[in-house]
Amino acid sequence: MRLFENTMTFVKKHMRILLILADILGMGISCWLAMILKFDATTLLKDWFDNNIIFIMAVDLISTALFFIIFKVYNRMWQYMVITDYVKTAEAFILSKIVTVIPFFYIWGIPTEGPKQTRSFFTWMFIYSCLFAFSVMFSRVFVLLGYRSWRAYLQKKEINKYEGKKKNVMIIGAGGTAMRLIEEFRSSTTYENRYKVVALIDDNKRKQGGYLNGIKIYGGRDVIIKVAKEQDIDEIFFAANSADKENRKALLKLCSETGCLLKTVPSITTVQKNESLSAKLRKVDYTDLLGRDQIKPDLTKVFELLKDQTVFVSGGGGSIGSELVRQVAASGVAKTIIIFDIAENGAYEIQQEIRRNHPEVDLKVLIGSIRDEKRLCEIFEEYKPDFVYHAAAHKHVPLMEDSPKEAVKNNVFGTFNLAKTADKYGVKRFVMISTDKAVNPTNVMGATKRICEMIVQSFNKNSKTEYVAVRFGNVLGSNGSVIPLFKEQIEKGGPVTVTHPDIIRYFMLIPEAVSLVLQAGAYANGGEIFILDMGSPVKIRELAENLIRLSGHVPGEDIEIKYTGLRDGEKLYEELLISEEGIQKTQNNLIYIARPMEFDSERLFKRIDYMREIMEGATGREIVDIVKELVPTFNPQNVAFKDEVEVKEEEKEEVHA
């Protein structure tokens, strides 16, 4: 075995030289055999060939070498079976023989005795060419077979180390993707994942009961759970890339019920010829749980609007702000992009990403707080931004319930400062990121964001700047969202904590939400509150169960789901519309405009000024009371605040009576 390994290593290292030597040797043997087979001692050609054999071989060697170089015969990977390589080699060989014949027959004048001798020459040439062609192809086939034997030996040697540890795999979709995947597993030398495909599933009835690469196609989706149990499946690979969103969702749900680890396979059309398909296997994650195609709006008009403009993004290091920066930078249209954030870590990370991926972008990263009006004025004075995307805010509901004054300082005062500065320095458009929690708010965070919407609408009334707000629900994978928490809890073995079995939320991917924010901003005339269609709401309990199943566990058995109760300020469900608002359609059927509610802007600004004055000495309850005055639909669920607000309401009723 050691000799075999050393020999194959030497052959692989010196493949090109060995093939050249094999072709030279094959040429000599073929020429000699052709002479023995064709000529006898009585022909004139026999004597002539005897005297000129070296010259003949030299001419043919030069001709063959020339065309083999032109057609890159020696640069090809002969250890792989590719038909085009053999076709090109045959073309080079035929042309070389034609070129070899011409000088001998028409220039040097081969001695002939009429047509019979001429035919003898061409017969010899044909026999020689066939023998030489066989020699050339034999050497290549020998390399191919030797290489495959070598890989089979290495694979067997590697697999023997892990005997009994191979993972049984079921593939959903018996098409080209599945075929290539099976071939890759079989030809792998390292066999790192030690996969053994034992079953295929396909809804196409014509395929059911048949075999693909020796693997049985057991049936359609109705047998997934049954086959998974019978064949002791460890992992399921989802390769049904042609399935529409509804079928994909249904298939993923069935697969998740098996308790097997579920991975998805990219389509072979998206993978380069020499790339490994198995290397691109990934676990099914939260992006696959939407049950719909990812929204990809046409942003051409948006980027035309931002062309040669200076774009300012507050909270540019956060999950939403950084994606805004990412998409604007990728478009390459903005003159300058300004990332403004008080958190230096997030700002630094997106700065490095943009510099790495889009070094041509003029990017400014500035640290500061939207609470600091002087800092904002310094920046706007120097850079003169044209567009402002306001994503900076305190968004964590339970934390803001415990620190309501900080929610007001950052969300309300910060938004007021930024809106005022935008007006002062003549910004063209101001787009604020709002939330569905601003609708009939039950928590301080949502109520402060509702005040922010009112600030934006108030400034729009008397400013040349166009102020708008964009309201949407939760984004999957954002900082503080449930997905990272659930994944971390699953990795630790549970329990997965859900506040309430019936709690629901609207979800969207971060890139989707940001694309729609950009597009909504392009529709603005000023004063609108845009509402994004978040699709169907998702039960958090079902989301947790699906993540547990997709991780290869059984909910309630392997991983416990623990219900902790609604947190302070938390609703069972969120709303995207205030009932009094109504909606108006836009050019995009995923973006709507809410009809703004009437409110007194002068009173709003006076109460904001009053809160600034009393902020240092006021209690959290006093601040919540003022917020309640500004947002009549605010219904606090935090017991500490709720009691105080109810007392105030009772006092008002008594005074009125």
Side-chain angles (χ1 to χ4, degrees), residues 412 447-455 604 608 627 630-631:
V412 177
T448 58
K449 292 297 280 185
R450 176 57 188 151
I451 295 175
C452 292
E453 292 179 351
M454 295 162 70
I455 290 171
L604 170 68
I608 290 174
V627 170
L630 292 174
V631 185

Side-chain angles (χ1 to χ4, degrees), residues 53 118 168 226 232 239 248 271 278 283 368 384 475 481 521 545 586 617-619 644 657:
I53 185 65
T118 302
N168 290 337
K226 177 185 176 184
D232 195 21
R248 184 180 181 86
V271 179
S278 55
K283 291 182 180 179
K384 301 290 191 300
V475 285
S481 73
E545 289 174 347
T586 67
T619 64
E644 180 71 14

Side-chain angles (χ1 to χ4, degrees), residues 22-38 53 57 60 93 97 124-136:
D23 288 344
I24 294 172
L25 180 62
M27 178 184 293
I29 294 174
S30 300
C31 185
W32 176 69
L33 281 175
M35 289 174 61
I36 292 176
L37 292 171
K38 179 59 188 171
I53 185 65
M57 289 187 62
D60 193 47
F93 184 85
K97 298 312 126 196
W124 171 84
M125 192 67 192
F126 176 76
I127 295 172
Y128 161 68
S129 298
C130 288
L131 292 171
F132 188 20
F134 175 79
S135 171
V136 170

Side-chain angles (χ1 to χ4, degrees), residues 332-344:
V333 297
K335 180 176 72 175
T336 303
I337 301 175
I338 301 171
I339 295 174
F340 183 71
D341 206 309
I342 196 170
E344 60 181 13

Side-chain angles (χ1 to χ4, degrees), residues 312 370 373 376-381 384-390 414-432 455-456 459-460 462-468:
F312 177 98
I370 56 175
E373 188 177 346
L376 290 173
C377 288
E378 288 173 2
I379 294 169
F380 278 57
E381 178 70 36
K384 301 290 191 300
D386 301 291
F387 284 78
V388 170
Y389 290 95
H390 176 33
T415 298
F416 185 90
N417 292 342
L418 190 56
K420 181 180 176 182
T421 307
D423 175 51
K424 180 178 178 180
Y425 289 91
V427 168
K428 294 178 182 178
R429 189 163 295 173
F430 182 106
V431 181
M432 188 199 83
I455 290 171
V456 164
F459 267 95
N460 187 75
N462 301 302
S463 174
K464 292 182 179 179
T465 300
E466 296 171 340
Y467 292 85
V468 298

Side-chain angles (χ1 to χ4, degrees), residues 317 342-351 367:
I342 196 170
E344 60 181 13
N345 291 338
Y348 174 77
E349 287 176 8
I350 187 63
Q351 178 194 50
I367 301 302

Side-chain angles (χ1 to χ4, degrees), residues 307-582:
K307 188 175 182 181
D308 299 326
Q309 305 294 300
T310 297
V311 178
F312 177 98
V313 182
S314 73
S319 51
I320 298 297
S322 63
E323 182 62 23
L324 277 164
V325 172
R326 199 173 286 117
Q327 293 193 23
V328 174
S331 72
V333 297
K335 180 176 72 175
T336 303
I337 301 175
I338 301 171
I339 295 174
F340 183 71
D341 206 309
I342 196 170
E344 60 181 13
N345 291 338
Y348 174 77
E349 287 176 8
I350 187 63
Q351 178 194 50
Q352 296 307 304
E353 179 184 332
I354 299 302
R355 284 182 175 176
R356 183 172 59 252
N357 298 333
H358 307 286
E360 74 285 355
V361 172
D362 181 20
L363 183 69
K364 308 295 180 186
V365 179
L366 306 173
I367 301 302
S369 172
I370 56 175
R371 298 184 188 186
D372 187 345
E373 188 177 346
K374 289 183 179 179
R375 175 63 172 151
L376 290 173
C377 288
E378 288 173 2
I379 294 169
F380 278 57
E381 178 70 36
E382 181 176 357
Y383 295 101
K384 301 290 191 300
D386 301 291
F387 284 78
V388 170
Y389 290 95
H390 176 33
H394 284 330
K395 306 181 184 74
H396 199 281
V397 170
L399 292 182
M400 292 306 99
E401 292 298 284
D402 294 333
S403 305
K405 292 169 67 174
E406 295 306 308
V408 171
K409 288 178 185 178
N410 200 66
N411 295 356
V412 177
F413 297 163
T415 298
F416 185 90
N417 292 342
L418 190 56
K420 181 180 176 182
T421 307
D423 175 51
K424 180 178 178 180
Y425 289 91
V427 168
K428 294 178 182 178
R429 189 163 295 173
F430 182 106
V431 181
M432 188 199 83
I433 307 300
S434 189
T435 171
D436 56 358
K437 294 175 177 62
V439 182
N440 297 323
T442 58
N443 52 68
V444 172
M445 192 283 285
T448 58
K449 292 297 280 185
R450 176 57 188 151
I451 295 175
C452 292
E453 292 179 351
M454 295 162 70
I455 290 171
V456 164
Q457 291 179 317
S458 296
F459 267 95
N460 187 75
K461 294 176 182 178
N462 301 302
S463 174
K464 292 182 179 179
T465 300
E466 296 171 340
Y467 292 85
V468 298
V470 182
R471 185 190 294 163
F472 55 88
N474 300 272
V475 285
L476 287 170
S478 66
N479 297 332
S481 73
V482 296
I483 299 296
L485 174 63
F486 286 170
K487 292 173 77 172
E488 181 183 350
Q489 290 173 335
I490 291 169
E491 287 174 3
K492 292 181 178 179
V496 172
T497 56
V498 178
T499 57
H500 193 282
D502 297 323
I503 192 168
I504 62 172
R505 289 292 181 266
Y506 292 93
F507 282 107
M508 186 176 280
L509 300 179
I510 295 175
E512 292 179 318
V514 168
S515 294
L516 290 174
V517 165
L518 288 168
Q519 196 169 54
Y523 294 155
N525 292 313
E528 300 98 336
I529 295 178
F530 290 97
I531 301 167
L532 304 187
D533 184 348
M534 303 290 291
S536 301
V538 176
K539 276 195 173 185
I540 303 300
R541 171 179 55 81
E542 292 181 359
L543 186 63
E545 289 174 347
N546 285 333
L547 277 174
I548 292 170
R549 291 191 186 101
L550 296 177
S551 299
H553 303 289
V554 179
E557 295 181 15
D558 303 328
I559 303 288
E560 178 191 358
I561 296 179
K562 184 178 180 181
Y563 297 105
T564 58
L566 290 175
R567 298 172 295 182
D568 287 340
E570 194 170 41
K571 294 182 184 180
L572 273 178
Y573 62 94
E574 302 292 355
E575 305 163 88
L576 289 174
L577 283 172
I578 295 175
S579 58
E580 291 84 2
E581 287 179 319

